[in-house]
Structures are given as C-alpha cells and as structure tokens.
Amino acid sequence: GGRSGDWRGGELWFALACEQLEDPEARQFKARIHLLHRQAGDIFVPLGPVFSEGFSPGFAEWSGMARVEDGRAALYFTASGTKGDAQPSYRQRLFVARADMLVGDGSPFGPWSAPVELLPSGAGPYQAPNGQEGLPGVVKAFRDPFVRDKDDGRRYLLFTASCARNPGPHDGVIGLAISDGDDVFRPLDPLVDATGVHSIDMLERKI
C-alpha cells in the first residue's frame, strides 16, 4: 500500500478541482489536478494547480495517481480532450510526468518533465473515447491510470476502460497493460470484464 508524502510537518495531497460552476456537468471540462497541504487538525491548504497553464496535452486533467520513483515524483494522469481545441471533448489519454522533489521554502517540486503517453487510446481490446457529447453512464472510458511494479522488473498499468470487442450500453472493464519497467506499455486482456453487466460509470465506483 501507499502513503501520503510528508512535507513541512504535514502531507502533500493531489486532488481534482475547478472553479465553482452553475452547471455541475461542466466541471469535468475545467478540472485540473491541484496540490494541497494537509496540516494538523485536518486543515487543507490549497497550493494551486500542479501543472502550469498549457502544460497538459489535454483540454482538462482527470484522475490518476502519484508516487515516488527513485527519489522523484511521478504523476500519472488522464488528459481529457485535446489542448488547443475550440471545443472540449471526451477524448481520453494516459500520461505520466516526473519532477525532482525539492527541500526548502518554495515549491515541493522542480520543473515537470514533458508528459509521456503510456498507452495509445484504443489500443488492444479497448475503445478510444472521442465524442464531444455524452450523458452520465454513457460516456466511454480510457482513464484513471494506476501502476504497480512487480519483483520481476515488470510494470503493470491498470485503468478504467470500455470494451471494444463487445461495445454496448454495458461494456465496462478494468484495463490492463504491461511494460518492461519503462513507460512503453503493451495492452493485455482486461483484468475485470463486466460487459453485459455494468457500464463503466457503475463499475469504477465498485473497484
């Protein structure tokens, strides 16, 4: 299991956030990953967006995971839409960026490396969501990366996905991919296949 990162007598947390909007559905097109400093008494102090404006390859940023790799911070995240597009979309891609962890009074991280795409959207048995419109429970998925290293040097990538072999209203799967310890992943068959049973919005809330 993991744990929170210690910083200045508290903990560093990553969370999705955006400005307050009248339309809740519009939040997903404005979401960015923010950094929070959890202090004593469960006080969370916002430190602002993790990435600078225009850094992400997406229109917005969605969930992922963060961990320390060889003394550096690694942030795995979902890029939603495409940077520079006039209209947001449900296109979803998986990336990682890394930064040195700093000690001092300034930012906890140095400059972030250029994002690296982990697995092409739609690779193997998974759909590539690209639509510009969608309703809750209907939007397809290729998001929420989570990585785990094994003792044999291989690295596994898990993610929320939709099945390409049996597309339909209930085609949710937990996707799986493998690499030889680097950021180049090859798709495998889903770890969990709920086609015919659950849509992805239902499935991701049960894992």
Side-chain angles (χ1 to χ4, degrees):
R3 64 179 182 85
S4 302
D6 298 331
W7 188 65
R8 294 189 186 179
E11 300 171 344
L12 288 175
W13 286 51
F14 294 90
L16 290 181
C18 74
E19 66 268 27
Q20 186 174 353
L21 301 171
E22 291 185 5
D23 180 6
E25 292 299 319
R27 292 178 296 183
Q28 57 196 336
F29 297 127
K30 297 286 188 178
R32 296 183 63 188
I33 300 173
H34 284 238
L35 190 63
L36 304 173
H37 184 203
R38 183 190 182 194
Q39 301 177 354
D42 279 342
I43 298 173
F44 287 83
V45 178
L47 301 180
V50 174
F51 300 137
S52 60
E53 187 70 32
F55 175 88
S56 173
F59 200 96
E61 297 154 12
W62 289 358
S63 291
M65 66 164 287
R67 67 176 190 173
V68 177
E69 297 176 351
D70 299 324
R72 304 185 75 206
L75 181 54
Y76 295 81
F77 65 98
T78 306
S80 169
T82 303
K83 179 172 62 177
D85 279 359
Q87 296 289 334
S89 72
Y90 288 99
R91 184 187 186 194
Q92 297 156 50
R93 292 171 292 161
L94 310 178
F95 287 90
V96 62
R98 296 181 173 86
D100 291 331
M101 302 182 68
L102 305 180
V103 177
D105 295 331
S107 169
F109 305 116
W112 290 92
S113 64
V116 174
E117 190 167 12
L118 302 170
L119 180 72
S121 181
Y126 307 107
Q127 294 186 46
N130 288 307
Q132 289 188 327
E133 297 181 359
L135 298 172
V138 177
V139 175
K140 301 305 179 183
F142 193 83
R143 57 180 181 258
D144 310 331
F146 177 88
V147 294
R148 183 68 181 265
D149 296 329
K150 301 296 287 185
D151 293 339
D152 60 6
R154 294 184 175 183
R155 179 170 294 171
Y156 288 88
L157 170 68
L158 289 84
F159 51 98
T160 308
S162 299
C163 181
R165 294 170 179 166
N166 298 293
H170 302 100
D171 53 14
V173 298
I174 300 301
L176 184 65
I178 189 173
S179 82
D180 294 322
D182 54 19
D183 296 328
V184 181
F185 286 86
R186 305 181 297 278
L188 300 174
D189 286 339
L191 178 67
V192 177
D193 189 337
T195 53
V197 179
H198 276 301
S199 70
I200 196 58
D201 277 0
M202 296 176 183
L203 183 62
E204 66 184 352
R205 286 161 174 74
K206 296 181 182 295
I207 299 299

